Amino acid sequence: QVQLVESGGGLVQPGESLKLSCAASGRSFSGYYMGWFRQFPGKEREFVARISWTGNPYYADSVQSRFTISRDDSKNTVYLQMSRLKPEDTAVYFCYGDGVQGVTYWGRGTQVTVSS
């Protein structure tokens, strides 16, 4: 059974930082893309960031220069370091890992709320 479990979400004030972790089990993702999406209330899920198996990152414009994605393949884990958080970053954040033949594995999501 493949599982991805996010952790690190919570309530923070604007301008603060938060680091999300996503630990995978049941399958190695060392040769595949991993990344993050987020979903705002009443909206469709949107792309946040991804990282290749060689460590090359790619970000949505909305988080560029504020978020940093990284991975530790020895731990089968992907991270999202979020800095200078804004209220508009409030969302449920989902991690994912790619598989073969169009398969994508998803975590269950973690809530991030940015509010004063």
Side-chain angles (χ1 to χ4, degrees):
Q1 184 179 359
V2 177
Q3 290 186 315
L4 289 85
V5 181
E6 302 95 340
S7 61
L11 174 64
V12 297
Q13 297 187 60
E16 294 184 341
S17 298
L18 203 61
K19 187 173 184 177
L20 305 182
S21 299
C22 173
S25 61
R27 176 188 183 276
S28 174
F29 288 93
S30 62
Y32 299 89
Y33 280 93
M34 300 186 76
W36 297 86
F37 278 64
R38 65 186 180 185
Q39 189 168 21
F40 306 108
K43 303 291 186 178
E44 296 182 349
R45 194 174 299 184
E46 72 172 29
F47 169 77
V48 175
R50 69 171 182 262
I51 185 167
S52 76
W53 54 89
T54 60
N56 292 327
Y58 184 79
Y59 302 95
D61 289 342
S62 59
V63 306
Q64 181 74 249
S65 80
R66 296 189 299 118
F67 290 12
T68 301
I69 189 171
S70 61
R71 65 191 296 164
D72 184 345
D73 287 335
S74 70
K75 298 180 178 180
N76 214 20
T77 298
V78 63
Y79 306 93
L80 187 68
Q81 175 66 56
M82 304 181 292
S83 300
R84 302 190 302 281
L85 283 162
K86 305 174 181 179
E88 50 263 46
D89 294 318
T90 296
V92 177
Y93 285 72
F94 299 87
C95 69
Y96 77 90
D98 282 346
V100 298
Q101 298 179 331
V103 174
T104 300
Y105 300 94
W106 293 94
R108 298 182 67 180
T110 185
Q111 177 71 47
V112 173
T113 301
V114 185
S115 180
S116 59

